[in-house]
Structures are given as C-alpha cells and as structure tokens.
Amino acid sequence: HWQRNWLQGEVLDQQLGYWTKQLASLPVAHSLPLDHPRPSIQTFVGTTYNSQIDVATSKKLNHLCQSQGATLFMGLHAAFSVLLSRYSSEKDIVVGSPIANREQAEVAGLIGFFVNTLVLRSDLSENPSFTSLLKQSKTMLLDAYAHQQVPFEQIVERLQPERSLSHSPLFQIMLVLQNNEQGILELPGLTLSPVEQRSVGIAKYDLTLNISENEQGLWLGWEYNIDLLEASTIARMANHFGLLLNDLVKAPNENVFKAEMLSAQERQQLLIDWNNTYTDYPNHKCIHELFETQVQNNAGAVAVVFEDQQLTYEQLNQKSNQLAHYLISERQVAPDTLVGICVERSLEMVVGMLAILKAGGAYVPLDPEYPEARLKYMLDDAKLTTVLTQSHLRETTPVTDQQAVCLDSEETEQQLQIQSTQNLNTNELGLTSAHLAYVIYTSGSTGTPKGVMIEHKGLVNTVTDNAHQFMVTSETIFLQSISLNFDAASWVIWMALARRAQLVIANEAVRLGDNVEAYINQARVTHLMMTPSSLAVLDPGNLTGLDVVIVGGEACHHGLVNRWQSGVVFYNAYGPTETSICSTMEKATPKGLSGIGKPIKNIQIYILNEQQNLSPQGIAGELHIGGIGLARGYLNRPDLTAEKFIVNPFYDKKNPASSERLYKTGDLVRWLPDGNLEFVGRIDHQVKIRGFRIELGEIENTLGKHESVKDVIVLARESVVKNDNRLVAYVVTDAIDLSEKSEISVTKRNEYIDSLRHHLSQALPDYMVPSAFVLLDQLPLTPNGKVERDKLPEPDISLQQHIYVAPRIETEKLLCEIWQDILGIERVGITDDFFQLGGHSLLATRLVARINRTLNISLPLQKLFLLRTVELLANELDVNNKLSGILLDSESALSADEIEVVI
C-alpha cells in the first residue's frame, strides 16, 4: 500500500527515467556460446555445479574492494562481467540480481517476500583495468540501489524490449551473493553442500551464479539450463573464473582482457599438443626443383594436357628452360624479379610459369579477362618490366610493347630456339627457397587490390604435405579449372608436377561451367579441386573415375559433403592466400565434416582475443596462423603488412616450424574437443539484427545440412519500406523446378521454404531464421569461383506468400489492413504467415499493440507466435468475443452449467 502510494507521479517518472536511460539499447540476449540450440519455447530444466574460490584469493578480493570503498558484491560483479565478456566477445554485459527491497525502516521488520530484480549493466568497451571496472560497478550499483523500488515488470513494460518465447526479457544470466550486504538478498535455503553436482532440478535462467562466503573462501553454485549447456562447459567456466579472479586481484591495474584464465594444462594443449606439426621437408629446394626431380625419374610421362595438345615432362622442362635462359639474358630476370604472365589457358601458361621460376623470378598472374583498370593498377603497382603474353591479347590489355614478350610470336620463337635446354643452377643464380615464387593480387577491403608475396619454402611445404595427403601419384590426373589469379590454381599445378602426375588444363568454356562433367569423364580425371560454390552445380552421379575431391576458398556446407563423399575421398582445405594456400585440412568421415580440420605440417594455429590472449576450447576468437607458410607480406604496403602480420607472442626458437610473425586472418573459429577447428564466420560478416549479434556463417552451416540444399549464402539486407535489417537466405537447390510459374509450383515452392524454416528452427533461435528465402539454380560466381555477393538479387516478398485468399469477415479485413501497414506489404491474404512475410518479434510487438488498440482488447503477444495467420487469429478473436458476449449478457438464457461448457 505504501509503495503504490509513493511510487506514482513525479517520483515514478524519475525512477523509471533512470532505468530507461540506463538500459537504453540493451542487448536482447547474451552471446555466450551455447552447447545446444536454444529451444523456441524456453525450458527450465537445470542442475548445479559447485566450485570453490580459495581463501587467499577471497581475502585479496575483499581487501581490494575495501580499498575502493566497494562491497564484495561489487567486486564479484565486476569479475563476473569480465568472465562473460571473455566468453562472449561482447563488451556490453548484462546480468540480473535479486534485491531484498527493504531499504526503508518501516518495512525492514515486516514478514513477507518483497524481493525485486535489478538489471545490472557493465561497459567494457574501453578495455578497463579491474580497478576502474570495480569503480564503474560501484557507481552503477549504488545508482541501481537508489532506484530499486520500481518493480521489474514496470521496467519491462516501459522499455518494450524485443520479446521472445525462447528466453527471458532484459537478461538471461543472474548473479546472487548470499550475505545481505547493501540490501543484496540473502536467499534462505539456497546454500548447497559442496558436492560436485546437484540432481536435475530447475534453472530459472540460462545461468545463475550463486555465491556465499565460507571458511574455505567463496562457495560458488553454478545453476544452469541443461537444455543449453553441458556440464563440461560449466566446469570449464568455473575453473576459468577462479583463475581469472586470481589474476585480476593480483594485477588490478592491468587491462582485464590480458588477465590469464587458462590453466597450465590448457596452455600446453593449445600451444604444444595441438600445434605439434613440425616435420622435415625439402626446405632448401625451390618449387621448380621438385618438378625437375620428376623429369629425371620419368621424362617420357605426360605432364600437361590442353585440348588436343600435350607435353611430356621432358618437353615441358626443355621449353621452360629455353624461355628461362631468354629471360635472364634478354630481360635481366634475377632472384625476386617480378615477371607478369598474362596469357589465356594453354600449354604456354604452364611453360611461362616454370620459366619465370627457373630464371629466379616470381610470376605475377594477370587474368586477361580482368577489367583494364584493374590490370593497369597491377602492372603499375608491381612495376613490371616484363610480361609474358600472347599476340592477340595486346589489343585488349594494357600491356605495353616494352613489357610484352609474346610467346606465340614468330620473333620470340626464333629467339627461344637458340637458347639452351639445360636446367639452370640455383646456386649460380643465387636463388634460394627464401626468394619469391609468386605475387598474387587479392581484393582489398578499400577496393584496391593488394599483392601477396609468397616464397618458395612456404609453397614447397604446402605442396609436399598436401600432395601426400591427397594421395597424388604418377597415376593421378588432376584437373586445373581455376583462374591463375586464384592461388589454388598454382596449388593444383605444383601438386601435380611435383609428384609426376598428369595436369589437365581446362579450356575457358569448361572453366566457366560448360560441359564440365563430360569433360571430366573424357579426360579421366581422378583428382578435382574446386570452390564449394563451383562444385555445387555438378552432379556426382554423372562422374566416373573420380577418386579425390578437394574444396577450398569458401565455407563448405554439410549438404555438399553428404552428396559428394560417397565413392570419393572428400577433403575440406582452408587457408588464406597469405599463408601459402592451405593451412588446415580435414578429411570427411561418414559423419561428414566437423569443421576446417587441423593444421597441416609446419603450420601453427592460435585463436586469440583482441589482446592476443589465447581463447579457451569452445570460445570463438580470431584465427592467427604461423609457421613455414607465411607470406613475406604485401607488395609496396608496409603499413598493411605490419597491421596483418603481427609479432608472434608464442615464438619458439627451438621449433623450426615456429615463425616470428603471425597472420591475422579476420576469420572467427574455435577449438573443438578433439583439436579440430570449427569455422564460425568472418569478423566482417558479423551482423546485428534488432540487437542480436548473429554469425551469418552459423546460419549457412545449419541450412547446408538440409539434404536438398546444394549451396547457400545468407545476407543481412535492409528493408526499404521499414528501414529494418532482415536476414535473407539464398539457397541453391534442384528439389524445386524454378522455371515453373503455375499456382501448383508456387505452392510447392512455399512448402519447400517452410521445410527450410522448420529445419532451421530445430537448431537455431527464431531471430536467426531468415525472413526471406530466394531459391536459385546457381549462385553468381566471380572468375575465381567464389560467390559474387553484390549480384545476389533482392528478395521478392510476394513469392513468400501463399495463394491469395481474400478476407471474408470484418475481423479478417481489419487484421489484413493492420498487417499490410506493419509489414509494408501491398496485399496480405488470410492464409499468409506473419513471420514468413518478414515479420519478427519486434514487429510482432507493434502488431499486437496495434490490434489491441484498434479492437480495444488485450491479446497476449504469445498468441501471435501460435496463431501466425490472419485466419487463425481472427477465428480466435471472434471466439473470445462471442464468449465475452455470453458472459456479460445479463439477458442470456444460458445456465451456469451451460456457461461452464462454453468456457
């Protein structure tokens, strides 16, 4: 009675004003990595794991809090916020905490349960020290205590947060200290005996940390939802919290993100056990010397085939030697000299690459299909004085007369005829494995291409290891269908020629997808390397003789693996251009792929946070790569080189495979329990949708597991009508005939999209289910075989609608009009699904509010999640109206028993 009389008018406005400001733009849900998908309807099945903080650490924390005029709870809140931030990679951390709500003397002695809930928020965006974070917690908590009288429900009502049936509003993690300090609730009966695990019971939130002081220090009870988290995860988190707290109080003025939370055993596993990759390899050799060894062993074997032409190993060696001698004598090519190669797909392409290497130079691929402006930039940036090309390309490329060496001109052929066919001596040339093999230009984030400088030793290490893994032998026939400006093209060429295999160069028509399957069969190809997007358009049932399939360059989805691994050995290879093509690899098992595999020989993998601290198993961080394969850097870009190739804090002089630098990939990955790596997504592909942080790669991976999905890309696109970001899934499938436009085909398409939604809803929360699906025969690809995202079409929402059914009654008509306005759609039928038309929980809140205001009713938001069409919702409203009319009508002839039957 006192609270209701006091908490109104100006006092209520002031109290609510504080919470409105304090909780503005609050994250909708925490981003802790979950072991299981969040169910669409929140569950509360839980158990508790108990741990202990030792006396010494507890005393240090208490002393530190006292020195800052803070309470123990303030210190624990600050430390817990650091743990959650380290686990989630978020800087805006929100937890709830119960408050006794007995700050007035008048109520202090009353019997009763007055508990309220406070929403506590920490800002770690400035990378604070623990001392400064403790001060922040103190200030925030004192303000919260001063405004604790506002019931939690009123705060929710005022803020109108994104609502979901899958989690609680405002916060999903609770922190409780059981000692009655500063009004913090002392919860009776919650202290548990220090056992390892409590039997299954209730978890009120995703995670609740209950803390109490005892003679041994601090007792911690980790109550967690077993439908979301595994016991092993919580045990690991509890151990990390103890180690983290110890380090925070030991160095309270250090950056909290530099504090150590890994045990010695975990560091051993991450640094040594899972990076134990050193093996001997021909580190003194250049890549072309591996080819020359094969020439000695079997000179008459066919080395390279293009259409109806072919060269044996001996012929290829002699031709490339003649050109190499010419480049040295006439073009002054020496070690590290950059030489352009701008030729169409042909035997000359391979001859030219080999010749440049034999002369000591490094080849710079220049795709003649590239725009003239891009080619000119590359020519100028690399300062090329020599470019191997073909006569007919002189008119269509910016290669100058001074630069051009036309391999097909009569003049050049005459000059080459007088050159020696003997191998050049690397010692006499001063050429070593530390010199450049090639420079490949990749797209830059600023729009300006950047040249990646790769040395022989990195390329030799990759080729030696991968050729062994892929079982490349003299019986292998490798198809080369990749643009030379993609480093995988060099990968395929040197794997074949270094192992005496046969290399088949696909012509331009085949490379672009024309009759690929027939060509593969005709050429008797045994080994195929493609991007997942290129492979997705092929049918494995149409291919014969294929033994090994390798994908790389993009994320590989489970559906693609499942279609291809029957009858072939399937590999997923991962590696940026900056790390000599391939850094990790996984061979598919009958269960598919778990991720991107383990590091190849002489490569080290480190998953680090922003402060270059190791991320624990299961926690996503940026992938950093070290080892033999690291590029020298970016051509003419020392600033970018210094930014991307950082000092290796784990460099080990005693390990020959260890490197002094690491390459920052920009990829988010995490360690799996078996030491494999799981690809999470790109840092620059993280998006925020209505306050939720979303990894687009996670949605793609889940959709890729659908049996009929051949390939998929998910984008966040802005809705022009509502100025609202939404997720759009682009799905390649042959399960639906997309050329059909009949009503039956539209129904089938919608049923198929429904099956995709259902598939996603079994594994992902509702906010990660795309609001629109675009079905395609094939994704648009770049010349390198990667998805050209800019060319993906805008979704047509009308295609997501069912066959139009007009409203029949006044309620349906009114609801259709409201839906059209909220969704920004011209026409809504009564069988259309609100969420399939682009609706989401935030729009659902607006929709229900509009319905309630228009019809003067109190429809619960929950109803819309269950009754998703106008027809179902209108039927519900009409039934309720009839029932209300019966109950309110004093003239009703129904008896009490009859009313009960109606109810």
Side-chain angles (χ1 to χ4, degrees):
H1 175 75
W2 164 80
Q3 184 186 54
R4 289 180 180 176
N5 282 306
W6 173 75
L7 197 60
Q8 57 183 319
E10 189 175 323
V11 174
L12 178 60
D13 289 341
Q14 187 273 331
Q15 293 273 323
L16 274 175
Y18 164 78
W19 290 111
T20 302
K21 181 179 179 181
Q22 172 67 9
L23 303 182
S25 303
L26 197 74
V28 177
H30 67 77
S31 297
L32 290 184
L34 302 177
D35 297 314
H36 306 289
R38 187 183 290 280
S40 55
I41 304 294
Q42 186 177 2
T43 64
F44 300 93
V45 183
T47 189
T48 298
Y49 177 87
N50 297 332
S51 65
Q52 185 77 34
I53 302 295
D54 61 71
V55 175
T57 302
S58 177
K59 285 184 176 179
K60 288 179 182 176
L61 178 60
N62 268 299
H63 179 73
L64 178 63
C65 291
Q66 291 167 9
S67 71
Q68 299 298 319
T71 65
L72 175 61
F73 181 78
M74 293 170 181
L76 289 168
H77 171 257
F80 190 45
S81 297
V82 175
L83 178 75
L84 297 177
S85 181
R86 294 281 288 268
Y87 260 69
S88 65
S89 300
E90 288 281 11
K91 301 294 182 71
D92 191 352
I93 303 299
V94 182
V95 299
S97 189
I99 191 81
N101 217 5
R102 293 172 180 265
E103 58 180 340
Q104 275 76 23
E106 293 85 349
V107 299
L110 290 183
I111 297 172
F113 194 68
F114 302 144
V115 176
N116 195 13
T117 304
L118 298 182
V119 184
L120 311 179
R121 191 176 191 180
S122 294
D123 179 8
L124 290 85
S125 59
E126 299 296 325
N127 299 325
S129 67
F130 187 55
T131 301
S132 62
L133 185 61
L134 176 56
K135 292 177 181 177
Q136 182 193 129
S137 286
K138 174 184 174 181
T139 301
M140 182 271 300
L141 279 161
L142 290 176
D143 286 342
Y145 298 153
H147 299 85
Q148 63 178 284
Q149 291 295 341
V150 182
F152 178 75
E153 293 76 12
Q154 277 194 280
I155 297 174
V156 174
E157 185 178 341
R158 168 64 70 91
L159 292 176
Q160 287 292 306
E162 173 96 14
R163 298 303 295 271
S164 172
L165 302 181
S166 64
H167 61 77
S168 57
L170 301 188
F171 68 89
Q172 302 81 41
I173 298 172
M174 177 76 87
L175 176 64
V176 182
L177 177 63
Q178 304 172 44
N179 73 350
N180 207 23
E181 61 160 50
Q182 287 289 348
I184 298 299
L185 179 65
E186 181 176 358
L187 294 173
L190 278 189
T191 302
L192 304 173
S193 57
V195 294
E196 282 301 306
Q197 190 82 20
R198 192 173 73 181
S199 59
V200 173
I202 291 176
K204 296 176 286 296
Y205 297 95
D206 293 358
L207 176 64
T208 299
L209 177 56
N210 292 291
I211 305 177
S212 64
E213 293 184 272
N214 58 22
E215 293 180 356
Q216 290 77 39
L218 292 173
W219 172 89
L220 282 66
W222 302 77
E223 178 188 280
Y224 63 97
N225 188 316
I226 62 175
D227 288 334
L228 300 177
L229 297 160
E230 289 287 341
S232 57
T233 300
I234 297 299
R236 197 161 51 242
M237 182 181 286
N239 186 51
H240 288 156
F241 186 57
L243 293 167
L244 178 67
L245 189 56
N246 180 61
D247 215 42
L248 289 173
V249 297
K250 190 185 299 182
N253 295 317
E254 289 291 326
N255 184 333
V256 295
F257 293 102
K258 291 184 177 180
E260 184 58 75
M261 67 180 196
L262 294 179
S263 66
Q265 182 180 358
E266 285 179 294
R267 290 184 65 84
Q268 166 75 20
Q269 185 180 65
L270 298 177
L271 292 175
I272 309 299
D273 298 346
W274 287 349
N275 271 320
N276 185 21
T277 61
Y278 173 68
T279 191
D280 193 23
Y281 78 105
N283 62 334
H284 61 288
K285 293 280 190 180
C286 293
I287 191 67
H288 60 275
E289 291 182 283
L290 302 185
F291 162 75
E292 291 172 351
T293 300
Q294 300 304 332
V295 175
Q296 296 172 6
N297 295 337
N298 198 346
V302 175
V304 58
V305 175
F306 177 73
E307 296 183 336
D308 58 352
Q309 303 172 293
Q310 66 179 38
L311 291 173
T312 65
Y313 270 81
E314 184 174 31
Q315 290 170 333
L316 177 59
N317 191 50
Q318 289 178 349
K319 280 183 169 291
S320 57
N321 280 338
Q322 287 178 315
L323 180 54
H325 283 286
Y326 169 83
L327 291 174
I328 292 172
S329 62
E330 301 298 324
R331 291 286 177 161
Q332 291 74 51
V333 173
D336 274 1
T337 299
L338 302 186
V339 180
I341 179 163
C342 183
V343 297
E344 292 180 339
R345 305 179 67 75
S346 58
L347 297 180
E348 285 75 24
M349 181 178 77
V350 182
V351 171
M353 293 168 68
L354 259 173
I356 294 169
L357 295 173
K358 283 171 171 282
Y363 59 87
V364 182
L366 302 164
D367 192 327
E369 295 298 317
Y370 273 10
E372 182 176 350
R374 186 180 180 92
L375 286 175
K376 189 170 190 319
Y377 173 85
M378 295 158 70
L379 288 165
D380 294 343
D381 186 62
K383 299 179 176 59
L384 298 178
T385 58
T386 300
V387 178
L388 305 184
T389 187
Q390 293 160 314
S391 301
H392 64 281
L393 296 178
R394 289 286 297 103
E395 297 177 1
T396 59
T397 65
V399 178
T400 66
D401 292 338
Q402 292 74 23
Q403 294 169 318
V405 174
C406 295
L407 298 178
D408 58 346
S409 72
E410 185 176 334
E411 178 185 357
T412 302
E413 289 178 1
Q414 290 177 353
Q415 289 180 305
L416 294 181
Q417 288 299 320
I418 62 175
Q419 301 295 330
S420 170
T421 60
Q422 298 301 307
N423 291 339
L424 291 104
N425 188 296
T426 54
N427 290 331
E428 293 178 1
L429 294 174
L431 181 63
T432 71
S433 62
H435 283 107
L436 294 178
Y438 61 78
V439 173
I440 283 188
Y441 278 84
T442 64
S443 297
S445 57
T446 61
T448 303
K450 53 186 186 295
V452 182
M453 300 184 286
I454 298 296
E455 298 172 346
H456 280 271
K457 60 183 179 181
L459 184 58
V460 168
N461 179 69
T462 299
V463 166
T464 302
D465 177 75
N466 294 171
H468 173 74
Q469 289 285 333
F470 300 148
M471 300 169 287
V472 180
T473 69
S474 59
E475 303 299 317
T476 295
I477 300 177
F478 229 130
L479 180 67
Q480 207 291 62
S481 60
I482 307 166
S483 166
L484 201 57
N485 275 75
F486 185 24
D487 60 352
S490 294
W491 189 30
V492 169
I493 291 170
W494 302 124
M495 271 195 294
L497 297 183
R499 300 280 286 203
R500 211 188 327 151
Q502 184 181 129
L503 181 69
V504 175
I505 307 292
N507 60 34
E508 193 66 14
V510 170
R511 188 181 76 81
L512 296 176
D514 187 18
N515 297 321
V516 181
E517 293 170 350
Y519 190 88
I520 290 172
N521 290 333
Q522 180 184 348
R524 297 177 293 111
V525 172
T526 63
H527 284 57
L528 184 65
M529 192 279 152
M530 285 185 167
T531 61
S533 298
S534 297
L535 187 68
V537 302
L538 304 183
D539 185 348
N542 295 336
L543 299 174
T544 59
L546 207 57
D547 296 326
V548 176
V549 171
I550 309 148
V551 294
E554 293 177 320
C556 180
H557 306 303
H558 290 271
L560 184 68
V561 182
N562 293 338
R563 288 199 308 118
W564 276 91
Q565 66 172 336
S566 177
V568 302
V569 183
F570 192 100
Y571 290 93
N572 183 30
Y574 164 87
T577 302
E578 289 85 348
T579 60
S580 298
I581 308 167
C582 178
S583 303
T584 70
M585 189 189 307
E586 183 177 11
K587 178 181 177 182
T589 68
K591 295 181 179 180
L593 294 169
S594 61
I596 57 173
K598 299 179 179 179
I600 69 169
K601 298 301 182 184
N602 299 315
I603 293 294
Q604 279 83 48
I605 296 296
Y606 305 99
I607 304 174
L608 308 179
N609 65 11
E610 292 180 3
Q611 277 65 42
Q612 298 180 25
N613 274 25
L614 291 168
S615 291
Q617 174 200 314
I619 307 302
E622 184 177 3
L623 173 59
H624 292 65
I625 301 176
I628 299 297
L630 253 61
R632 185 182 294 180
Y634 298 111
L635 183 66
N636 303 325
R637 299 290 298 277
D639 53 338
L640 188 60
T641 299
E643 177 187 339
K644 292 294 186 180
F645 293 85
I646 65 171
V647 174
N648 182 1
F650 314 107
Y651 175 56
D652 181 5
K653 292 182 179 179
K654 298 179 181 178
N655 183 357
S658 186
S659 58
E660 296 185 34
R661 300 176 303 150
L662 297 177
Y663 172 65
K664 290 167 57 71
T665 64
D667 289 330
L668 289 170
V669 300
R670 62 182 176 185
W671 288 110
L672 298 175
D674 60 357
N676 274 294
L677 293 163
E678 181 182 43
F679 181 82
V680 177
R682 286 284 303 171
I683 290 176
D684 49 6
H685 287 172
Q686 280 186 341
V687 296
K688 278 286 183 81
I689 301 290
R690 306 187 317 275
F692 293 102
R693 188 185 73 182
I694 295 174
E695 304 287 356
L696 298 179
E698 185 177 357
I699 307 174
E700 293 170 353
N701 289 336
T702 306
L703 256 182
K705 295 177 183 178
H706 192 282
E707 58 184 2
S708 65
V709 171
K710 299 172 70 176
D711 206 356
V712 58
I713 289 291
V714 177
L715 298 181
R717 307 200 84 139
E718 186 173 324
S719 172
V720 177
V721 177
K722 287 294 171 185
N723 193 29
D724 177 40
N725 279 347
R726 59 177 172 166
L727 296 173
V728 180
Y730 296 87
V731 176
V732 176
T733 181
D734 53 14
I736 298 293
D737 186 353
L738 301 179
S739 62
E740 282 282 332
K741 303 298 181 184
S742 64
E743 286 190 4
I744 295 177
S745 67
V746 172
T747 300
K748 287 183 177 179
R749 181 174 61 241
N750 285 328
E751 288 175 349
Y752 179 69
I753 290 175
D754 286 345
S755 75
L756 297 180
R757 291 183 194 277
H758 178 73
H759 172 77
L760 286 174
S761 67
Q762 301 304 300
L764 299 176
D766 57 358
Y767 63 83
M768 293 184 71
V769 178
S771 59
F773 288 78
V774 179
L775 304 183
L776 300 170
D777 292 317
Q778 182 179 349
L779 295 173
L781 304 180
T782 67
N784 291 347
K786 294 187 178 183
V787 177
E788 200 160 9
R789 294 170 181 260
D790 292 343
K791 291 190 176 179
L792 290 168
E794 285 281 352
D796 184 352
I797 290 297
S798 65
L799 296 176
Q800 312 288 326
Q801 296 180 262
H802 293 271
I803 301 302
Y804 177 71
V805 180
R808 300 157 299 189
I809 60 177
E810 192 63 32
T811 306
E812 290 179 348
K813 181 180 179 183
L814 190 60
L815 290 177
C816 283
E817 290 173 353
I818 294 173
W819 283 31
Q820 286 164 188
D821 185 51
I822 293 291
L823 293 169
I825 295 176
E826 186 176 343
R827 189 175 70 170
V828 171
I830 64 172
T831 59
D832 290 328
D833 186 303
F834 175 79
F835 295 96
Q836 290 185 15
L837 296 182
H840 48 69
S841 52
L842 188 59
L843 289 178
T845 304
R846 298 176 190 167
L847 181 73
V848 170
R850 176 79 68 84
I851 292 172
N852 287 338
R853 187 168 63 251
T854 305
L855 299 180
N856 194 27
I857 59 174
S858 296
L859 176 72
L861 177 62
Q862 205 166 358
K863 284 289 185 182
L864 185 62
F865 286 89
L866 301 174
L867 308 170
R868 301 158 69 105
T869 69
V870 167
E871 183 177 34
L872 292 174
L873 194 58
N875 186 55
E876 171 82 4
L877 295 178
D878 280 353
V879 168
N880 286 343
N881 287 339
K882 288 175 183 176
L883 177 59
S884 299
I886 291 171
L887 296 177
L888 294 173
D889 186 1
S890 60
E891 301 293 323
S892 174
L894 291 178
S895 67
D897 289 340
E898 289 172 321
I899 291 175
E900 186 175 348
V901 170
V902 173
I903 293 174

